[in-house]
Amino acid sequence: MPPVPIIRVRASMLTRVVAPLLVLAVAWLAGVPPAGAADEHAEKRAGMVATIAALAADDNRDTGRGRLAPRVMAAMGQTPRHEFVPERRRDDAYRNSPLPIGHGQTISQPYIVALMTDLLDAGPGDRVLEVGTGSGYQAAVLAPLVARVFTIEIIPPLGRTAAERLKRLGYGNVETRIGDGYYGWEDEAPFDAIVVTAAASHIPPPLVQQLKPGGRMVIPVGERFHVQYLTLVTKDADGHVTVRELLPVAFVPLTGDH
Amino acid sequence: MTRAPAPPLAAVALLSAAALGYEVLLLRLFSIVQWHHFAYMIISLALLGYGVSGTVLALLGERAGRHFETLFMAAASLFGAAAVGCFLAAQRVPFNPLELLWDASQPARLAAIYLVLAVPFLFAATGIGLAFVRFRDRIGRVYGADLLGAGGGALGVLGLLFVAMPMDALSVIGALGPVAAALAAGQARRWGPMVAAAALAAGLAVLPAGTLGITPYKGLSQTLETAGARVLSESSSPLGLLTVVDSPRIPFRHAPGLSLASPVGPPEQLGVFTDGDAYAAINRSDPGGPPPGHFAYLTSALPYALRQDPRVLVLGAGVGGDVLQALGQGAAAVDAVEINRQMADLVRGTYAEFAGRPFDRPGVRLHIAEARGFVTASGGGYDIIQVALLDAFGSASAGLHALNESYLYTVEALGLYLDRLADGGLLAVTRWVKLPPRDGLKLLATAAAALRRAGIEEPGRHLALIRGWKTSTLLVRDGPFTAAEAAAVRRFCVERSFDLAWLPDMTADEANRFTVLDQPYFFDGATALLGPDAASFTDRYKYDIRPATDDRPYFFNAFKWRLLPELTALRGRGGLGLLEWGYPVLVATLAQAAVAAVLLIAVPLWLTRRAAAGHAGRGRVLVYFLGLGFAFLFVEMAFIQKFILFLNHPIYAAAAVLSAFLVFAGLGSLVSARLPGRNPAAFAIAAIAMIALTSVFVLPPILAELAAIPLPARFAVSMALIAPLAFCMGMPFPAGLARLGQGAPALIPWAWAINGCASVLGAVLATVIAIEVGFTAVILAAVALYGVAAASFPRPEPP
């Protein structure tokens, strides 16, 4: 295997971005009861958030596009990701990488979760639909940001585990369901935002219909451990639909000069 | 000295057959549980087992010969038990190739699988090697039995795979080991061991070998996780394991890239998986009624918007989706070509009523044939040739097909299709959209190269490329597009919210309107590739989009080394999804093979100092046997690739070519003792160089000429064409050993070991060279290595 370099955080970035964020994170963590294990997870989580912030800053520098709203970062900072990964992978929970959660499914790379949450641009009063609950992590990240989250899982054991987990962790504004996500959640439609993490051969038209005017839908495309691009479907006030395909990362396929 | 008993030739042949059969079977099993690209690893690990056996025998020394019967029976029985046991053990290693770049423990797991699966080969090779040591005086007959058995085994397993499910074939091959032991015991009149071995054989044959642990990340595994999904039927052949799945509660809705404007969704479907992936759908259709309507809203429907009542050729007809599309869009006649009879039979037999008998509809003719072979033999005159989208999106997006040779998408292939079009006919090729574009642009470049080869100066006037959310379709026209056709393409796209990526007269503001990208990558790429700066653009592009050719048939590989540092640095930001990692994994396999070969073959010999350190000729011995090992495998791997096109499938090619090289190299080695002169290998090597270089130019036209003859005849032709070269290639190695035997017998184990190491690496390295520069380069490199070897032939020891 070629060695995979660890992401380097440059000193300037450390002072510019990471340090203030760490201060913020520590300030926020001060409100958390200081139990031993919780402390350890909280520390790792703060590290993960700092990593994401630094990476987002890098991306911002490379592309000039502003990204990752502070409230999204706050949600990432308060969601106990270790609760959403299999017991034996808990030590890796706050690494910025995807992890298997069984049944051939994954919990996405934290940076991608943050990015998708940010792209959804959902506000405090919003109703959000998620197709593909998986571990429940994405729903948990969304929960503090919006009014209600409705999430559907196609694989029964995954859906049951996620439902119990979300309930146990007190995510009272997340509704879960096991079943077919293709037709959305008719009774609760329309939605301000929809996130589809299940593989689809085409954009399900019923989901587009259940999107409110002004709503946004995000679909990651690729293979389980490697998101290739993100599809952003937006519906304007007149109901006109636009589809965008975005790379998660600043990457130009052409070298500038030669 | 009393005369030794006769060598157990039948037992040796059977053990050898079982080992080669096992090697070919592993190719099949790994295609099912993981993906095809571990094929190179399997050839390499088999050679590792053979190489280590040389070391084991060298360490055993004279003891090996004295206890021949007991050791042979043990080795053969252990092969049988290990063939089944090691495969089951390897299946229990939680290896996930998709996590290779994320999880530092994955490479170790891959290495564990590699080592575990080398063990059966170690046992088999040790058994056979024991026979060589014991019957040194009749080595010719033993060698002959070994090679004929091996050749028969490689071919025989193909027959077995037609009648047995893969895991049952594993049981059968496992049982052959103890059967060989029983034969040897019977010949030695050792009845107790014979009964024991026969009992083991019966046990292995009767006990179920277990189930295939298909990776949970393949489409089939994921589908079966959903509530209510169940397997309706399974059928298997060397071409693939077909699984038909019904999912009544959560219906299949396979319609890749279906336009959001489609008024209808896909009908009720059954899922068909090949080797657990490559998902295709059997669409419910009424035999007398119209085909499902959603087909009109796929990008692949574009050619039908430009032609009335066309005569259509569908390459890769599968379970008939593209045929139904053609009929629904007004095709007058459809020739449907499908390589796998079992696939086509699904909708002619068990699921005929569900599918509405797509191949039995009026105007449709089904041909069970390989696409290139069919087109070569066809009279042509098609208005539309449709190349179906057959591979799975998930694995394609990860670059998992990177190492699959494909002769469907090469310059030569597209040239051939174009030649079989009627005047003004259209070739349509649909691919998955990847971002940034890779094979979409590579296909365009390949088509442009094919058009240029056909003497067309402005290929851009013959091309149209459109894209939807998940698929893109390229049209190549016989003759420039007319204004009316360009208008029809525009209309087709607007009605379906598809984007124009290339049309001869399009402007920049027409691109990137419906599915909006950061940059109009496809239009910009097409414009550059069809303009004067194509070469510079191809060079500067971070993915490999050079046209695929028959010599470098890696259409699916888009990896360039410069991607690796950039995207691994961006892994935190999701950059790894943009990395095509099939190829770097191959290189990692090469590194792993190198370490294993040196540690397991060379180091034990070195540690025990069995090699006489003081030999003056050591350097020459090293170079000679290293060169031979690499060169032999280079030629063998290059021929496997060359014959994939001719024999239609990698597993056919691997079996036929391995078999031919074994048998004829074996015959060559038998006559090598009669070679004259101070450097007897030089004659053989001169002949090898001549034949190999000639074959580079002569083979392709011969194979193309014979592409349409029946498959068994093509097998025979393949063997005959390989025979002269393989015969000569069998000589240098025993000639070198014989020379060492005269003057420096202590170096013989070294020679075996060095050759073994080189073979293990050569199998993988040949593919790396082929991906970078092509198979002609692999052959040239082999000839050069043979030349170096000839110059380093071990000198006779001074008297």
Side-chain angles (χ1 to χ4, degrees):
Chain A
M1 283 304 302
V4 178
I6 294 162
I7 293 119
R8 286 180 298 274
V9 180
R10 279 181 300 282
S12 63
M13 187 192 307
L14 201 71
T15 49
R16 231 167 3 96
V17 187
V18 181
L21 267 157
L22 277 173
V23 173
L24 270 178
V26 170
W28 174 80
L29 286 167
V32 176
D39 245 357
E40 182 203 327
H41 289 305
E43 204 175 298
K44 285 184 172 178
R45 187 155 59 244
M48 179 191 85
V49 171
T51 301
I52 295 174
L55 291 168
D58 271 355
D59 205 66
N60 188 279
R61 188 201 55 230
D62 290 351
T63 63
R65 53 187 174 190
R67 264 184 177 178
L68 303 189
R71 56 195 300 268
V72 170
M73 295 302 288
M76 295 296 292
Q78 74 184 79
T79 311
R81 185 170 160 97
H82 63 279
E83 297 278 2
F84 294 85
V85 305
E87 192 77 43
R88 56 182 187 83
R89 297 301 290 266
R90 283 215 166 160
D91 284 350
D92 301 330
Y94 293 101
R95 265 176 42 193
N96 183 25
S97 62
L99 290 172
I101 55 168
H103 306 279
Q105 306 300 312
T106 52
I107 180 170
S108 301
Q109 184 177 12
Y111 184 82
I112 297 284
V113 175
L115 200 57
M116 296 205 312
T117 311
D118 190 75
L119 271 177
L120 286 174
D121 198 21
D126 284 358
R127 298 155 65 78
V128 181
L129 172 68
E130 182 192 24
V131 176
T133 313
S135 66
Y137 179 66
Q138 173 74 71
V141 169
L142 282 165
L145 298 173
V146 302
R148 295 187 74 185
V149 180
F150 301 88
T151 179
I152 308 174
E153 173 55 49
I154 201 169
I155 298 173
L158 264 187
R160 281 193 293 272
T161 314
E164 285 160 18
R165 180 182 290 137
L166 289 162
K167 196 172 165 196
R168 173 169 58 81
L169 295 173
Y171 290 98
N173 62 341
V174 180
E175 292 264 352
T176 60
R177 172 189 272 188
I178 291 166
D180 189 357
Y182 189 83
Y183 292 104
W185 195 313
E186 191 80 52
D187 303 342
E188 300 292 347
F191 301 99
D192 300 281
I194 300 178
V195 55
V196 185
T197 53
S201 80
H202 55 277
I203 300 172
L207 297 184
V208 178
Q209 279 153 22
Q210 290 178 18
L211 203 56
K212 273 186 195 168
R216 296 158 77 84
M217 173 156 72
V218 173
I219 310 173
V221 178
E223 154 279 283
R224 291 281 165 219
F225 289 85
H226 304 271
V227 170
Q228 191 185 109
Y229 57 88
L230 301 169
T231 300
L232 174 65
V233 181
T234 50
K235 194 187 253 188
D236 68 15
D238 305 327
H240 183 79
V241 173
T242 308
V243 181
R244 285 195 186 81
E245 291 180 345
L246 310 164
L247 297 180
V249 64
F251 177 76
V252 183
L254 212 58
T255 49
D257 51 290
H258 59 110
Chain B
M1 189 179 149
T2 54
R3 188 174 163 77
L9 296 179
V12 167
L14 193 62
L15 183 57
S16 188
L20 257 290
Y22 187 57
E23 182 175 346
V24 175
L25 178 65
L26 281 182
L27 298 178
R28 192 80 276 290
L29 292 172
F30 264 74
S31 291
I32 299 172
V33 297
Q34 297 283 353
W35 285 276
H36 164 73
H37 61 284
F38 292 100
Y40 308 97
M41 187 179 91
I42 286 157
I43 291 173
S44 165
L45 66 85
L47 291 163
L48 177 70
Y50 275 77
V52 176
S53 84
T55 303
V56 169
L57 289 172
L59 297 182
L60 280 175
E62 285 305 310
R63 280 165 292 179
R66 287 201 298 273
H67 303 286
F68 169 72
E69 270 99 13
T70 309
L71 289 174
F72 180 87
M73 286 184 289
S77 300
L78 283 169
F79 163 77
V84 178
C86 290
F87 180 74
L88 296 181
Q91 283 218 105
R92 297 191 71 87
V93 177
F95 170 60
N96 175 15
L98 305 179
E99 276 188 275
L100 266 169
L101 302 180
W102 290 113
D103 180 357
S105 71
Q106 293 295 342
R109 297 177 196 185
L110 179 62
I113 291 177
Y114 183 79
L115 294 178
V116 164
L117 288 175
V119 170
F121 295 103
L122 167 61
F123 287 133
T126 302
I128 294 159
L130 282 165
F132 289 139
V133 174
R134 174 70 182 83
F135 301 99
R136 206 172 292 164
D137 50 335
R138 275 157 292 172
I139 199 160
R141 296 183 67 199
V142 179
Y143 203 41
D146 169 34
L147 292 167
L148 285 174
L155 286 178
V157 70
L158 290 187
L160 181 62
L161 282 168
F162 271 110
V163 295
M165 294 302 276
M167 286 306 269
D168 298 332
L170 178 63
S171 296
V172 171
I173 285 175
L176 291 181
V179 168
L183 283 176
Q187 195 170 331
R189 299 176 183 283
R190 292 178 59 177
W191 309 117
M194 189 180 102
V195 172
L200 177 61
L204 284 170
V206 171
L207 288 177
T211 50
L212 277 171
I214 298 179
T215 167
Y217 303 99
K218 278 195 168 184
L220 174 62
S221 311
Q222 307 223 324
T223 300
L224 292 177
E225 290 277 359
T226 60
R230 66 200 168 105
V231 172
L232 292 183
S233 65
E234 268 190 332
S235 47
S236 172
S237 79
L239 296 182
L241 173 67
L242 301 181
T243 313
V244 181
V245 179
D246 184 20
S247 183
R249 284 172 60 187
I250 299 179
F252 290 112
R253 297 182 195 89
H254 188 61
L258 181 66
S259 163
L260 270 174
S262 177
V264 287
E268 187 185 347
Q269 294 178 332
L270 298 175
V272 182
F273 297 86
T274 306
D275 290 342
D277 220 352
Y279 167 41
I282 302 179
N283 291 277
R284 182 181 279 288
S285 167
D286 173 9
H294 75 283
F295 283 126
Y297 287 83
L298 304 175
T299 58
S300 57
L302 175 62
Y304 303 107
L306 310 187
R307 287 292 173 278
Q308 298 287 314
D309 310 320
R311 248 195 95 201
V312 179
L313 171 64
V314 172
L315 297 178
V319 285
D322 293 82
V323 170
L324 288 176
Q325 180 186 51
L327 293 173
Q329 303 303 300
V334 183
D335 277 331
V337 179
E338 168 55 40
I339 185 172
N340 189 347
R341 181 180 298 279
Q342 289 184 344
M343 178 76 91
D345 280 350
L346 292 174
V347 292
R348 295 195 295 178
T350 318
Y351 307 103
E353 294 314 312
F354 184 97
R357 300 185 176 276
F359 297 132
D360 300 323
R361 290 190 179 229
V364 179
R365 277 187 303 172
L366 175 68
H367 308 269
I368 302 298
E370 189 272 333
R372 283 276 298 263
F374 178 86
V375 179
T376 304
S378 129
Y382 295 104
D383 300 307
I384 293 173
I385 297 181
Q386 179 83 262
V387 183
L389 180 61
L390 295 170
D391 46 311
F393 174 76
S395 40
S397 82
L400 279 179
H401 294 305
L403 309 177
N404 287 22
E405 311 75 16
S406 172
Y407 291 96
L408 270 183
Y409 301 107
T410 63
V411 174
E412 290 85 351
L414 297 193
L416 177 66
Y417 307 151
L418 289 174
D419 189 61
R420 297 300 191 271
L421 288 174
D423 285 347
L426 298 165
L427 166 67
V429 189
T430 298
R431 293 296 317 155
W432 297 105
V433 164
K434 293 185 190 176
L435 278 185
R438 298 153 224 188
D439 52 355
L441 288 182
K442 184 182 261 194
L443 180 64
L444 187 92
T446 306
L451 287 164
R452 285 199 185 97
R453 243 185 228 191
I456 287 152
E457 284 174 17
E458 289 182 73
R461 296 174 63 205
H462 298 244
L463 295 167
L465 178 65
I466 66 164
R467 65 181 175 87
W469 177 57
K470 236 178 173 179
T471 58
S472 67
T473 294
L474 175 72
L475 291 188
V476 192
R477 192 186 187 282
D478 174 72
F481 278 96
T482 64
E485 287 168 339
V489 172
R490 287 187 167 89
R491 197 161 53 241
F492 179 88
C493 286
V494 168
E495 284 169 5
R496 291 162 180 78
S497 303
F498 292 151
D499 277 286
L500 290 177
W502 176 260
L503 204 55
D505 60 346
M506 81 180 275
T507 54
D509 60 340
E510 286 184 283
N512 214 19
R513 290 170 59 194
F514 298 102
T515 300
V516 184
L517 312 177
D518 290 344
Q519 300 285 323
Y521 293 122
F522 286 87
F523 174 70
D524 289 352
T527 308
L529 286 173
L530 297 169
D533 296 327
S536 149
F537 179 81
T538 306
D539 189 46
R540 287 163 58 213
Y541 205 67
K542 288 178 185 167
Y543 292 98
D544 185 352
I545 51 168
R546 291 176 294 167
T549 61
D550 280 356
D551 193 47
R552 215 165 41 77
Y554 295 97
F555 177 76
F556 299 107
N557 177 52
F559 177 80
K560 273 188 182 175
W561 284 104
R562 73 176 83 149
L563 273 170
L564 192 62
E566 178 173 2
L567 290 178
T568 39
L570 292 174
R571 79 200 284 259
R573 295 195 246 161
L576 283 187
L578 306 181
L579 186 67
E580 302 256 325
W581 52 271
Y583 180 35
V585 167
L586 173 75
V587 175
T589 307
L590 180 65
Q592 172 186 289
V595 172
V598 170
L599 279 185
L600 296 174
I601 301 176
V603 169
L605 279 180
W606 181 76
L607 285 179
T608 54
R609 314 262 188 231
R610 284 198 177 253
H615 274 291
R618 274 180 313 160
R620 296 179 73 89
V621 172
L622 176 79
V623 173
Y624 182 74
F625 287 98
L626 205 59
L628 287 190
F630 275 113
F632 193 100
L633 262 291
F634 278 14
V635 173
E636 197 172 64
M637 295 302 286
F639 271 67
I640 290 178
Q641 305 313 323
K642 286 275 171 231
F643 281 82
I644 286 176
L645 176 59
F646 185 57
L647 294 172
N648 302 349
H649 199 277
I651 199 160
Y652 289 162
V657 173
L658 287 177
S659 176
F661 270 100
L662 286 164
V663 171
F664 293 107
L667 294 176
S669 73
L670 290 182
V671 303
S672 68
R674 296 179 200 160
L675 290 172
R678 266 179 68 84
N679 185 347
F683 289 98
I685 286 176
I688 292 167
M690 209 172 65
I691 302 173
L693 292 177
T694 311
S695 72
V696 168
F697 303 102
V698 172
L699 265 190
I702 294 181
L703 296 182
E705 194 60 39
L706 298 173
I709 65 175
L711 185 63
R714 273 178 283 145
F715 263 91
V717 166
S718 305
M719 306 289 274
L721 286 172
I722 291 169
L725 181 58
F727 183 78
C728 297
M729 281 167 59
M731 296 177 184
F733 183 70
L737 283 187
R739 171 61 53 85
L740 290 183
Q742 292 157 16
L747 289 179
I748 288 180
W750 272 103
W752 274 103
I754 292 162
N755 192 256
C757 288
S759 310
V760 172
L761 296 183
V764 186
L765 190 58
T767 310
V768 173
I769 296 175
I771 287 175
E772 292 290 343
V773 252
F775 281 110
T776 302
V778 176
I779 301 250
L780 294 178
V783 169
L785 284 164
Y786 269 121
V788 170
S792 317
F793 190 73
R795 290 203 183 94
E797 288 286 303

